[in-house]
Amino acid sequence: MNLKSPREQEYIQQLSIDCVIFGYEDEQLKVLIPKLDFTGDFWALPAGFIQQEEDIDEAARRILAERTGLADIYLEQFRVFGTAKRSNKTFMERLVALNPTKLDDWGLDLNTLGWLTRRFVSIGYYALVDIHKVNLQKGNIDASIQWYPIRELPSLIMDHEEMIHIALDTLRLNLDQKLIAYNLLPETFTIKEVQELYEAIYERPFARNNFQKKILDQQVLERLEKKFTGAANKAPYVYRWKRY
Amino acid sequence: MNLKSPREQEYIQQLSIDCVIFGYEDEQLKVLIPKLDFTGDFWALPAGFIQQEEDIDEAARRILAERTGLADIYLEQFRVFGTAKRSNKTFMERLVALNPTKLDDWGLDLNTLGWLTRRFVSIGYYALVDIHKVNLQKGNIDASIQWYPIRELPSLIMDHEEMIHIALDTLRLNLDQKLIAYNLLPETFTIKEVQELYEAIYERPFARNNFQKKILDQQVLERLEKKFTGAANKAPYVYRWKRY
């Protein structure tokens, strides 16, 4: 949410985008979460609005690029959140009460920001990124931005925790059908690393032989030639995803 | 779309709902499509807007109930359609040009309806109904309303044909995972009828023995006792979906 440039007329009213950005590191599935630069410990998903001249997918890419530095990200809508009572109002009132001078300092007040406290329908997107390619960038109202393991999330504003859980459910449903897991991995990897990724996402172990057979049967992996090192070569095969 | 009561301030602006209503009849998957009461052959998906005090799912249920008479329908979001150029403008200009007096008769003009010609983001819902329970009802701007087999659709306005195709793709992906097919069937049915339904949805044959095994293995069907008729009983078993 870009509180510092709230030019109401630029945006579609009462419609926002929230992004659940997944990464994979240290055998853990993680989510990228900024902490807002206000007193009161406000963590919020990367979010934003849709400009009048902008496709919704473009808006999501812009919001993702702002925090990750990545222009080309795998992303997908996963749910629209639209109950009648869904609004920023409670959160923003608490924020203003705890930060009485902050908006003044920016030349803003709750009247100027009134459109932000109306009911909002929000389109949830999830994104999968290679965590090592991300160039973490604070948004202009962030105090910090950090990767959190899926089981160690901070307390988030509004319905943002629910959003993460529904995004994860959707990721699990889509993972085999859509062969999208490679977006979370580096260029090359071993089968063991793919298995560890799946185990992190589904939070359960897979039997090694079955898993290897299942993945290889999908014929989506390309096995790379082992480099001749002169030594006895017991290193596992390295793969990459086939390009289509 | 309810052109006859366009009370702009009641609704979230630039956000609509379009519904793809699937039914099953004569071994064919069908879609419910109204034809608008204007010169020019305009077919459009059942659609509407979201009232300020209404959940988006409630709005979808209201739109579905208007045309089907059914209050309790299986429905699911499947995609948000939100390219920057997406608008009713071209369609409405053509409609007005071909029906110069119609809006006058209703005391309306394109200025009053200006908010309808802006860019619209639309949330696509698909619904599954037991076609025999539907009480077809024309909306207040419909000339007629009819079930069309999925391969014999009329020419639809805007991106509504694309919406149907994406709804169908989603239905195919979800069918096994979510065990939702029963929403398209009457209370009781034979395994052969379930197979015919799947064949209509996927537009391909299934091998009978495999299909029967696959469906029964899911343990979602309850077999009813055959009624004793005195005659030699060669009728197939009749099933219904287990209630949870």
Side-chain angles (χ1 to χ4, degrees), chain B residues 149-212:
Chain B
I150 195 82
R151 289 295 145 205
E152 297 166 31
L153 299 176
S155 169
L156 289 138
I157 66 165
M158 298 177 62
D159 51 1
H160 289 195
E161 278 172 56
E162 183 194 1
M163 286 177 168
I164 293 174
H165 291 130
I166 293 176
L168 179 58
D169 286 346
T170 310
L171 173 62
R172 288 174 176 165
L173 281 174
N174 287 348
L175 205 55
D176 281 345
Q177 280 173 353
K178 302 192 181 178
L179 305 170
I180 53 181
Y182 74 91
N183 291 289
L184 290 162
L185 289 170
E187 185 71 13
T188 61
F189 43 78
T190 65
I191 295 283
K192 181 162 175 281
E193 285 168 334
V194 180
Q195 180 171 342
E196 285 163 354
L197 168 64
Y198 271 68
E199 291 177 340
I201 293 174
Y202 289 101
E203 299 184 282
R204 66 177 180 84
F206 288 84
R208 186 170 157 229
N209 288 347
N210 286 349
F211 185 83
Q212 176 155 346

Side-chain angles (χ1 to χ4, degrees), chain B residues 105-123:
Chain B
D105 295 347
W106 295 347
L108 299 172
D109 57 46
L110 261 190
N111 290 332
T112 331
L113 299 176
W115 66 286
L116 293 179
T117 63
R118 297 191 73 184
R119 170 192 179 179
F120 263 86
V121 173
S122 195
I123 308 173

Side-chain angles (χ1 to χ4, degrees), chain B residues 14-73:
Chain B
Q14 302 188 265
L15 188 60
S16 60
I17 286 178
D18 286 287
C19 296
V20 179
I21 308 176
F22 289 113
Y24 176 65
E25 188 182 45
D26 303 332
E27 297 172 32
Q28 290 184 304
L29 187 67
K30 296 183 176 180
V31 182
L32 187 61
I33 303 175
K35 184 178 183 188
L36 302 186
D37 184 22
F38 292 94
T39 300
D41 289 341
F42 296 103
W43 285 271
L45 289 175
F49 308 112
I50 299 151
Q51 294 167 2
Q52 287 292 354
E53 304 295 328
E54 189 179 44
D55 293 353
I56 56 173
D57 287 355
E58 274 180 68
R61 283 182 200 287
R62 173 174 52 77
I63 293 161
L64 289 165
E66 278 165 12
R67 262 47 176 254
T68 64
L70 299 176
D72 189 23
I73 287 187

Side-chain angles (χ1 to χ4, degrees), chain A residues 9 11-15 50-58 77-85 118-119 121 123 173-174 177-178, chain B residues 9 11-15 50-58 77-85 118-119 121 123 173-174 177-178:
Chain A
Q9 63 283 4
Y11 300 108
I12 295 182
Q13 297 297 292
Q14 300 189 266
L15 189 60
I50 300 153
Q51 294 167 2
Q52 286 293 353
E53 305 294 328
E54 187 179 46
D55 294 352
I56 56 173
D57 288 354
E58 273 180 67
Q77 299 170 9
F78 68 93
R79 175 77 65 89
V80 183
F81 297 81
T83 55
K85 66 181 190 334
R118 297 191 72 184
R119 169 189 178 181
V121 174
I123 308 172
L173 280 175
N174 287 348
Q177 282 173 352
K178 302 192 179 176
Chain B
Q9 63 283 3
Y11 300 108
I12 295 181
Q13 298 296 294
Q14 302 188 265
L15 188 60
I50 299 151
Q51 294 167 2
Q52 287 292 354
E53 304 295 328
E54 189 179 44
D55 293 353
I56 56 173
D57 287 355
E58 274 180 68
Q77 300 170 8
F78 67 93
R79 175 77 67 88
V80 183
F81 296 82
T83 56
K85 65 179 190 336
R118 297 191 73 184
R119 170 192 179 179
V121 173
I123 308 173
L173 281 174
N174 287 348
Q177 280 173 353
K178 302 192 181 178

